[in-house]
Amino acid sequence: MAQCTIDVENVNLMAAFWSAALGYETEQGDDGSAKLWPPGQPSATAPTVWLQGSGTTKRSKNRLHLDLVADGDPQAEVRRLIGLGARHVDVGQSGTEQFTVLADPEGNEFCVLDSAPTR
């Protein structure tokens, strides 16, 4: 995967959140969008993120979402993301999952995995 595109209402708010959350650099587009670049060169292991202004609010649960993996303690990462503006959301979890469901400042769900996926 080369890039993930997220439709957002407030490009500046979301660029600030996601660039801090991912450690990416922000490049504002002339069309009101923002491209988030990973440190160094983009690669298959670190895709770019394009924030596309939609002018509308989120209406329902995401059909596609990001899963993040912390470099260290996943709960420390959850606390860091909440400090940046994320919040806990309930999408029907049982409480035994190996991930934490959060939402960004505009309500787009994403997960923080307890560990990287393995086969």
Side-chain angles (χ1 to χ4, degrees):
M1 182 174 75
Q3 177 171 279
C4 177
T5 300
I6 304 172
D7 288 346
V8 300
E9 184 176 9
N10 183 326
V11 172
N12 292 332
L13 172 69
M14 299 303 282
F17 174 80
W18 282 110
S19 65
L22 299 172
Y24 279 29
E25 298 172 16
T26 302
E27 180 181 308
Q28 295 290 354
D30 294 335
D31 60 356
S33 67
K35 177 84 83 157
L36 305 182
W37 296 94
Q41 294 295 318
S43 70
T45 59
T48 60
V49 176
W50 184 41
L51 302 175
Q52 175 177 269
S54 67
T56 61
T57 59
K58 181 180 174 291
R59 292 187 177 93
S60 62
K61 184 180 180 301
N62 296 12
R63 302 222 20 207
L64 176 72
H65 67 265
L66 300 178
D67 286 340
L68 307 180
V69 177
D71 289 336
D73 175 20
Q75 290 311 307
E77 180 67 359
V78 167
R79 289 188 298 275
R80 183 184 79 84
L81 293 165
I82 289 171
L84 294 173
R87 60 183 168 79
H88 285 276
V89 292
D90 182 354
V91 295
Q93 303 94 301
S94 68
T96 61
E97 293 81 9
Q98 300 296 306
F99 56 85
T100 301
V101 182
L102 300 175
D104 68 20
E106 288 192 356
N108 298 300
E109 298 93 0
F110 66 98
C111 295
V112 178
L113 306 179
D114 289 351
S115 60
T118 60
R119 285 185 169 228

